[in-house]
Amino acid sequence: MKTMIVVCALALGVPAAAQAQAADMATIAAQQAAMAKLAAMLGIWRGPATSTTPRGEIRMTQTERVGSFLDGTLTLVEGKAYMADGKVGFHAFGAISYDAATQSYWMSSHAQGRSGRFQLTLTDTGWTWEVPAGPATIRYVASFAGGKWTETGDYVAPGQPPRRIFEMTLSRVGDTDWPEVGSVTKQ
């Protein structure tokens, strides 16, 4: 009898589970339209970057690899900075998404042992986003124009003027089919 109840419960639950997995085409369309506004950042980028730390100024060659994923509903970003000796001095990964319900953009960021989810605000030429840093905030501002990606990061503490801690100027060097290429196939 118990087995029959479990089988019936499982059979009745299948349509509900299948329903939960059905694609929400209206939401997908809204996400695709919103993410299309970030198309200028897709591709491979390279250029000089400067980071100011308590130990002083660090100059690097910054690279960014940016690709569209999940039918254009997600933008993935890999940032990697190379030191003068060729060693990797910084490596980060981000996923930018659009929440159609709240009509807001979000970046999930992972770098240097830290991670978080931060609201991204679009501007006429790019975006801004902020990372809490104790009583202060680190504010990033990015702009895309003429094949250039410029971005700054300012440390903003209460009662103090903003202090520049990061700056990069990248040139677009090519297209990329990352991350779609190389996915597991049916066979």
Side-chain angles (χ1 to χ4, degrees):
M1 181 68 167
K2 283 185 180 180
T3 303
M4 182 63 136
I5 292 171
V6 169
V7 169
C8 287
L10 287 174
L12 291 172
V14 170
Q19 176 80 14
Q21 296 301 312
D24 180 344
M25 299 311 290
T27 297
I28 290 171
Q31 290 170 335
Q32 289 170 329
M35 295 305 289
K37 295 177 183 177
L38 300 176
M41 71 182 294
L42 299 176
I44 298 172
W45 302 80
R46 182 179 296 112
T50 304
S51 181
T52 303
T53 71
R55 291 172 282 158
E57 189 175 272
I58 300 170
R59 294 185 180 279
M60 307 159 277
T61 297
Q62 180 74 28
T63 65
E64 299 284 343
R65 176 171 63 160
V66 184
S68 182
F69 197 56
L70 298 179
D71 295 322
T73 62
L74 191 63
T75 298
L76 301 183
V77 183
E78 179 191 29
K80 193 183 275 190
Y82 296 91
M83 308 307 289
D85 63 5
K87 291 182 181 173
V88 175
F90 177 80
H91 199 182
F93 178 79
I96 301 172
S97 61
Y98 179 76
D99 184 328
T102 62
Q103 298 183 350
S104 56
Y105 291 85
W106 294 88
M107 177 171 330
S108 296
S109 173
H110 307 269
Q112 297 179 268
R114 295 178 179 87
S115 63
R117 184 172 183 253
F118 310 99
Q119 190 163 10
L120 197 75
T121 303
L122 296 192
T123 66
D124 290 340
T125 59
W127 71 73
T128 65
W129 63 294
E130 295 183 347
V131 177
T137 300
I138 299 173
R139 180 180 304 128
Y140 292 97
V141 178
S143 180
F144 298 88
K148 297 285 186 196
W149 174 348
T150 58
E151 188 165 344
T152 58
D154 291 323
Y155 183 84
V156 183
Q160 298 177 22
R163 184 171 32 118
R164 181 71 32 100
I165 60 168
F166 179 75
E167 191 166 4
M168 72 180 193
T169 302
L170 309 182
S171 296
R172 190 174 189 288
V173 295
D175 296 330
T176 183
D177 49 12
W178 174 84
E180 290 290 353
V181 164
S183 59
V184 178
T185 63
K186 181 180 174 183
Q187 306 323 320

